[in-house]
Amino acid sequence: YRIAYLGDSFIEGTCPAEDTVPSIVGSSLTVPGYERVEVINTGTSSYAPTLYYLLLKTKLLQFHPDLIVVNIDMTDVFDDSLYRATLVRGENGEPIACPAGHPLLSTHRRTERGLEQLSTFERGATWLAERSSLARMILHVASQVKRDARSGDEGITQAFAWCGTNRSQDTQSDVQWSMDMLRRLIQLAKSNGIKIVVTAIPHREQLEGKWSLQPMNDIEAVCKAEGVPFLNPVEAFKQRLGSTPPQEIYIPEDMHFNPKGYRMWGEIQREFLNSLGLP
């Protein structure tokens, strides 16, 4: 039974390989009538629905997956807004390809906070880092120091605008785009006889009640309209955590899960998939 996982760095895994969600599901899920479960992990840092759709359309269909599990991250709407700048579409608006090279990325850097403008020195350092491992390491350390110095900023940053309670018109337009790409992805899978399950990745601030849960509602609305299962992770995580603070399942000063968080997320997904009675 072949499962293809679509997602960003949360699926690619900022942890040992055996602790990634696809690895946990692949090693522990049982499907009646099948001797084993094979999982294809296509998780790639900063991917979003636009690229998930193109990946399925151009690559994954040839592997004939039985099931696709889509993991939507709270930065996906922001990332999609960048990919739209270079997206190639057909006459009917159908996405065809998404070349790399957003116009702003020559003067800005994509960070967890959004796009940050680079100084002349930083642009030179970035150019050097592309050609030197030592320079790349130094730039990474400097970036961490800069991020840590700003970690006390209040409010929701550009990358997480989807989680704000008062969305701007631009953000709402970006949300609609990403939800339309998710809808296209679901319809493409269904038209090829592939089952599809959609879920989302909660960030620490959402589990703490500081950020809006509206993104989960946006995703669920698309899934209901298309008739596919949606795993809302918030209640599942809260039930698992109990009195444990959410910060204990995330990397300190980072938005990603630590191995404990990944294992918890993998177990939640495995149980949900088992409850669906696959295939």
Side-chain angles (χ1 to χ4, degrees), residues 13-276:
T14 53
C15 62
E18 62 270 18
D19 290 325
T20 64
V21 172
S23 292
I24 292 170
V25 171
S27 64
S28 59
L29 181 68
T30 57
V31 179
Y34 291 82
E35 292 183 1
R36 67 187 181 94
V37 173
E38 178 184 76
V39 176
I40 303 173
N41 183 355
T42 73
T44 308
S45 180
S46 298
Y47 266 36
T50 298
L51 300 190
Y52 303 154
Y53 173 77
L54 289 171
L55 183 62
L56 176 60
K57 178 182 176 181
T58 63
K59 299 291 184 183
L60 278 179
L61 289 179
Q62 64 184 296
F63 293 97
H64 306 290
D66 298 289
L67 171 70
I68 292 173
V69 182
V70 185
N71 289 256
I72 303 294
D73 181 36
M74 298 299 98
T75 61
D76 278 5
V77 164
F78 167 69
D79 287 325
D80 263 345
S81 71
L82 300 181
Y83 297 132
R84 287 165 64 184
T86 59
L87 186 66
V88 179
R89 307 184 215 181
E91 292 183 1
N92 61 350
E94 171 70 9
I96 296 174
C98 189
H102 187 282
L104 284 178
L105 293 182
S106 61
T107 56
H108 292 66
R109 175 176 54 236
R110 193 263 186 229
T111 72
E112 293 176 8
R113 305 178 63 84
L115 286 179
E116 290 188 348
Q117 188 167 6
L118 299 172
S119 66
T120 302
F121 172 79
E122 287 173 322
R123 272 183 274 171
T126 300
W127 179 89
L128 186 61
E130 292 173 352
R131 294 158 177 81
S132 165
S133 297
L134 176 61
R136 186 161 55 249
M137 182 178 69
I138 294 172
L139 183 63
H140 173 72
V141 172
S143 298
Q144 287 293 105
V145 171
K146 181 178 179 180
R147 181 182 62 78
D148 292 345
R150 298 181 58 180
S151 63
D153 290 359
E154 294 181 356
I156 293 179
T157 59
Q158 180 188 20
F160 293 97
W162 191 14
C163 300
T165 54
N166 297 308
R167 297 174 180 172
S168 67
Q169 287 187 337
D170 286 345
T171 297
Q172 188 56 39
S173 175
D174 291 342
V175 172
Q176 291 175 355
W177 169 270
S178 292
M179 294 303 97
D180 180 62
M181 293 308 304
L182 175 60
R183 187 175 295 106
R184 285 175 180 265
L185 170 64
I186 292 170
Q187 292 173 354
L188 178 60
K190 290 168 65 177
S191 68
N192 282 273
I194 304 169
K195 294 181 183 295
I196 186 165
V197 170
V198 180
T199 187
I201 300 158
H203 284 257
R204 176 174 54 81
E205 290 84 354
Q206 289 176 306
L207 295 180
E208 293 173 339
K210 296 177 181 178
W211 287 1
S212 170
L213 297 179
Q214 181 58 38
M216 307 298 173
N217 298 333
D218 295 333
I219 300 167
E220 186 171 20
V222 173
C223 292
K224 282 185 175 180
E226 296 298 327
V228 299
F230 172 64
L231 166 58
N232 190 322
V234 177
E235 289 305 317
F237 264 104
K238 287 184 176 180
Q239 184 175 357
R240 292 264 179 163
L241 285 168
S243 60
T244 302
Q247 66 189 38
E248 291 196 14
I249 63 171
Y250 290 88
I251 298 172
E253 303 298 335
D254 189 279
M255 69 177 186
H256 295 94
F257 293 129
N258 58 27
K260 179 180 178 180
Y262 281 114
R263 287 192 294 272
M264 189 177 293
W265 188 211
E267 291 164 1
I268 289 171
Q269 291 207 25
R270 180 199 63 212
E271 291 179 6
F272 183 76
L273 293 176
N274 272 331
S275 73
L276 297 178

